[in-house]
Amino acid sequence: MYVIIVGCELIGARVAKELANLNQDVVVIERDDSKLEQLSSGFNGMYLHGIEFDQDNLIQAGIEKADVVLALTDDDNLNITVSLVASKVFNVKRVIAQVIDPNRRYLYELLNIESFSPIKMGVNSLLSKLDIAPVEQLIQVSSGIEITRIEVKRVLPIKVREVFEQANTQISVLVHNGVSSICDGDSRIEYGDLVVCSHHVRDRKKLTELLVEED
């Protein structure tokens, strides 16, 4: 896989090194030389010093053959610009951007940019561990679709098929008594189970009422 990473912040540098260690072709673009130092001398990929959304720099980085472009700068405007240039100008099939300010997530959705929010994911994960938030968002894919993990607090058992019918949610993984399994429509969900779900954000409340609020 040929991956271009735009931005060498903490996440960008870490992802670049991990991909390079997995023998993927990686090129990092960053305008700040000091940030490129995070890659260290052991980095097996390539890096390019320059303005992240400059088309000449992107071409030099090999964007015309890129399978994926990751926009991982610390600026939402820059991440959005890079994503649009990569997808609309160079027709890169997969572009994923980091959301810096969770309140601006809607902009990415309006522009159909696949994105993820480390801050939002971290907050949800922490609240879930504190038993304050019953639903832990693992990732938001695009257009409002998210993948979540829920600890079931429903007293009465329910089948996976019924969850889809009542909450427009697809449950793919069920963890029962510490054993994980792939679900089918007849899989039975019980109190204390963990489930991994795919659904639209607008259906989260309905899903929570179905699986978390006790009957």
Side-chain angles (χ1 to χ4, degrees):
M1 182 181 295
Y2 195 98
V3 182
I4 294 177
I5 297 178
V6 180
C8 196
E9 306 294 332
L10 183 60
I11 289 180
R14 184 59 181 268
V15 171
K17 288 187 283 190
E18 292 289 343
L19 287 171
N21 289 338
L22 292 171
N23 296 318
Q24 305 301 311
D25 294 317
V26 183
V27 181
V28 178
I29 304 176
E30 171 61 59
R31 70 177 74 189
D32 187 341
D33 280 332
S34 64
K35 293 180 181 179
L36 288 170
E37 294 175 0
Q38 296 184 82
L39 295 175
S40 75
S41 58
F43 178 56
N44 296 323
M46 299 175 57
Y47 61 85
L48 178 65
H49 174 257
I51 297 175
E52 296 86 351
F53 56 84
D54 181 83
Q55 293 189 28
D56 289 336
N57 288 337
L58 290 169
I59 291 173
Q60 185 178 345
I63 194 169
E64 292 168 323
K65 61 179 179 181
D67 298 299
V68 181
V69 169
L70 304 178
L72 304 179
T73 77
D74 60 356
D75 185 297
D76 279 316
N77 292 329
L78 188 51
N79 287 339
I80 289 172
T81 300
V82 169
S83 298
L84 292 177
V85 171
S87 60
K88 305 301 183 183
V89 177
F90 293 102
N91 298 311
V92 179
K93 293 181 179 179
R94 191 83 188 272
V95 179
I96 305 174
Q98 175 183 203
V99 179
I100 302 302
D101 180 357
N103 292 325
R104 303 188 70 187
R105 185 63 177 268
Y106 73 96
L107 291 174
Y108 293 80
E109 294 181 8
L110 286 174
L111 295 168
N112 292 317
I113 298 172
E114 185 176 351
S115 62
F116 71 101
S117 175
I119 293 177
K120 183 67 173 178
M121 292 166 65
V123 169
N124 286 338
S125 178
L126 180 57
L127 292 179
S128 178
K129 292 180 185 300
L130 294 173
D131 292 327
I132 295 174
V135 180
E136 177 183 354
Q137 185 190 68
L138 302 178
I139 188 170
Q140 185 164 356
V141 184
S142 62
S143 303
I145 303 299
E146 63 179 358
I147 299 175
T148 57
R149 179 169 55 204
I150 301 174
E151 181 177 356
V152 178
K153 298 296 185 181
R154 177 189 172 93
V155 174
L156 298 177
I158 188 171
K159 290 185 177 181
V160 167
R161 180 181 297 106
E162 295 175 288
V163 176
F164 180 77
E165 293 171 348
Q166 297 180 40
N168 194 30
T169 296
Q170 183 66 59
I171 295 178
S172 55
V173 178
L174 169 65
V175 182
H176 179 72
N177 291 332
V179 179
S180 302
S181 60
I182 303 298
C183 299
D184 60 31
D186 291 321
S187 296
R188 179 185 171 100
I189 302 171
E190 301 179 359
Y191 186 96
D193 288 347
L194 290 175
V195 291
V196 177
C197 315
S198 304
H199 56 87
H200 196 281
V201 291
R202 63 171 172 260
D203 295 313
R204 179 187 276 208
K205 184 175 186 296
K206 190 184 303 181
L207 178 63
T208 302
E209 292 173 349
L210 185 64
L211 294 185
V212 178
E213 296 184 1
E214 298 184 1
D215 293 341

